[in-house]
Amino acid sequence: MILLTGATGYIGSHTWVEMLNAGYDVVGLDNLCNSSDLVLDRIRSITKIPPIFVKSDVCDEQSLRRVFQQYPIDSVVHFAALKAVGESVQKPMKYYKNNVGGIINLLNICSEFSCKNFVFSSSATVYHPENPTPYLEDMPLGPANPYGWTKMMCEQVLRDYELLDSKFKVAYLRYFNPVGAHQSGLIGENPMGVPNNLMPFIAQVAVGRRDYLSIYGGDWLTIDGTGVRDYIHVSDLAKGHVAAINYLLRDKKSLTVNLGTGQGTSVLELLKAFEIATGQVIPYRIIDRRPGDIATSYANVDAAKKMLNWYARLTIQDMCEDVWRWQKNNPNGY
Ligand code: NAD
Ligand code: WQD
């Protein structure tokens, strides 16, 4: 059985659907600090399988122990984390405690219950910003903010833990920019407050919740002066996790891979694609650069193709259409 932590969150909920569709038994766990349990009914509607859910905190070791006592968990997919880059600069201790403290608890429990397979949600943000693009898995790391450091530290904690147990295997998955929503329009990204990320902000302008998009800088050294990122459909990303679990169970080896499309898209290109896919007009203003941003980030995806036999199939147009279906059916989220 697979334990998904952070299961009701954005990527967790989409991965839960793909895991159930692939026939895996799953128990989802979340403390609901950044998600809603209303997602559970939606997962049942999509998969026709009632999801098994435990409200619990990965920082609470005793409560994790009860989950492992109750279910025969042999694999963990660990999404539970705080992820707001700006907040992590204001409240670094909160981020280290939750993200790094959480994984240490979880590994103590994995050790107690001989759980040997672990999939970790890492991020493109671990790469040093001065690396040339596309990013390759063996390039130097060097996060630019406390959130990124928590991801790099968790990777290190896992690598050290691996040395203690030759049967313990980890898939280190470094996500680029997940966007989009399930094709059903039933689950999607549900940011609390003002969205920090581009696609949910565009979607909220389209649905009338915000007046216009502020574009952070028009003078980057890119195709049109706006920032370039590797946007990946969340359902493709979710399938990457199924591929990673299949790999760990079959090959019994650890791996580190980028999960992206390998294609860069600028802010203005994404905005235009959204307008074409949805017929909505998105007013925008170009303002100053956002501190900490970089011009360009996209992945080299050869390793994921080769080792997981996985690649992203959905296009920018699919991402925009699916976000819009989710947003207009659920203008205020869940
Ligand atoms: P999300 O906030 O939607 O999901 C994270 C979930 O974890 C939330 O439901 C939250 O309630 C839960 N959670 C947080 N702390 C917890 C704790 N201590 N105990 C139990 N549950 C807890 O975020 P997401 O976008 O789905 O991200 C999932 C994972 O992927 C995170 O680890 C994130 O760092 C990583 N990641 C996300 C992105 C992205 O752009 N969304 C990119 C790279 C990596
Ligand atoms: C994309 C582009 C912005 C909002 C962040 C985290 C990273 C990872 C994914 C978890 C950039 C521009 C954005 C807006 C804009 N998360 N933009 N106006 O910064 O690549 O990555 O999310 O691991 O750690 O840093 O994504 O969506 O915020 O920005 O112009 O209102 O859109 O400047 O060029 P980013 P993003």
Side-chain angles (χ1 to χ4, degrees):
M1 192 164 198
I2 299 173
L3 173 67
L4 293 193
T5 74
T8 44
Y10 173 46
I11 305 171
S13 55
H14 290 80
T15 302
W16 204 342
V17 165
E18 298 304 332
M19 293 272 177
L20 292 174
N21 285 344
Y24 282 110
D25 291 327
V26 176
V27 53
L29 177 153
D30 203 293
N31 67 0
L32 303 177
C33 72
N34 198 36
S35 55
S36 162
D37 59 5
L38 293 175
V39 81
L40 300 171
D41 277 344
R42 308 289 180 94
I43 290 174
R44 193 205 326 240
S45 300
I46 296 169
T47 62
K48 316 289 178 228
I49 299 170
I52 302 171
F53 177 67
V54 183
K55 185 177 176 212
S56 170
D57 194 308
V58 292
C59 294
D60 176 351
E61 203 171 300
Q62 189 48 36
S63 135
L64 283 182
R65 186 171 289 111
R66 281 195 295 272
V67 177
F68 276 74
Q69 280 162 347
Q70 191 174 355
Y71 300 100
I73 294 162
D74 55 41
S75 308
V76 174
V77 182
H78 181 45
F79 295 107
L82 299 172
K83 64 162 183 178
V85 170
E87 188 193 38
S88 81
V89 177
Q90 304 303 321
K91 300 178 180 169
M93 295 309 138
K94 179 178 170 186
Y95 274 67
Y96 289 117
K97 189 172 177 187
N98 192 70
N99 296 3
V100 185
I103 205 167
I104 292 171
N105 277 334
L106 199 47
L107 288 174
N108 283 335
I109 300 295
C110 284
S111 163
E112 240 175 77
F113 290 85
S114 295
C115 173
K116 302 293 184 193
N117 307 296
F118 202 98
V119 178
F120 177 61
S121 295
S122 192
S123 169
T125 201
V126 298
Y127 290 110
H128 197 288
E130 280 168 19
N131 285 315
T133 46
Y135 292 156
L136 270 162
E137 288 82 355
D138 59 2
M139 280 182 174
L141 305 185
N145 54 66
Y147 163 72
W149 277 105
T150 70
K151 291 283 143 185
M152 191 177 133
M153 287 178 180
C154 287
E155 285 201 11
Q156 188 59 43
V157 168
L158 285 163
R159 289 185 206 281
D160 288 339
Y161 182 86
E162 272 192 73
L163 300 175
L164 301 178
D165 179 351
S166 61
K167 294 214 166 80
F168 185 80
K169 299 298 169 200
V170 184
Y172 301 85
L173 305 183
R174 295 183 181 151
Y175 316 153
F176 278 66
N177 289 60
V179 298
H182 191 264
Q183 221 195 344
S184 63
L186 287 172
I187 57 173
E189 192 168 8
N190 185 30
M192 296 187 180
V194 182
N196 296 312
N197 299 114
L198 179 61
M199 186 65 116
F201 203 105
I202 292 177
Q204 290 196 6
V205 174
V207 85
R209 283 175 65 181
R210 320 243 161 233
D211 293 337
Y212 62 90
L213 171 74
S214 296
I215 296 183
Y216 300 136
D219 57 353
W220 296 101
L221 278 180
T222 59
I223 178 174
D224 56 21
T226 65
V228 167
R229 297 291 182 274
D230 186 340
Y231 298 98
I232 173 168
H233 195 294
V234 65
S235 293
D236 272 335
L237 186 69
K239 287 178 184 151
H241 292 71
V242 177
I245 281 285
N246 292 342
Y247 177 91
L248 291 179
L249 295 176
R250 185 190 60 227
D251 288 24
K252 307 202 185 312
K253 280 193 275 190
S254 293
L255 87 167
T256 304
V257 290
N258 293 332
L259 295 184
T261 62
Q263 303 291 322
T265 303
S266 76
V267 176
L268 283 172
E269 285 173 336
L270 188 68
L271 189 95
K272 291 297 156 208
F274 188 92
E275 291 186 333
I276 291 166
T278 66
Q280 303 297 303
V281 175
I282 309 296
Y284 68 88
R285 294 179 194 170
I286 297 185
I287 62 164
D288 285 348
R289 292 179 176 189
R290 180 172 63 177
D293 267 356
I294 55 173
T296 302
S297 157
Y298 61 94
N300 178 305
V301 292
D302 295 347
K305 264 188 211 148
K306 187 169 160 215
M307 299 169 81
L308 297 180
N309 196 21
W310 169 94
Y311 61 93
R313 291 174 163 78
L314 298 169
T315 62
I316 290 281
Q317 187 179 336
D318 297 321
M319 302 176 208
C320 294
E321 284 173 2
D322 291 344
V323 163
W324 180 230
R325 188 176 306 106
W326 154 252
Q327 187 71 73
K328 73 175 186 290
N329 293 349
N330 306 270
N332 296 308
Y334 291 107

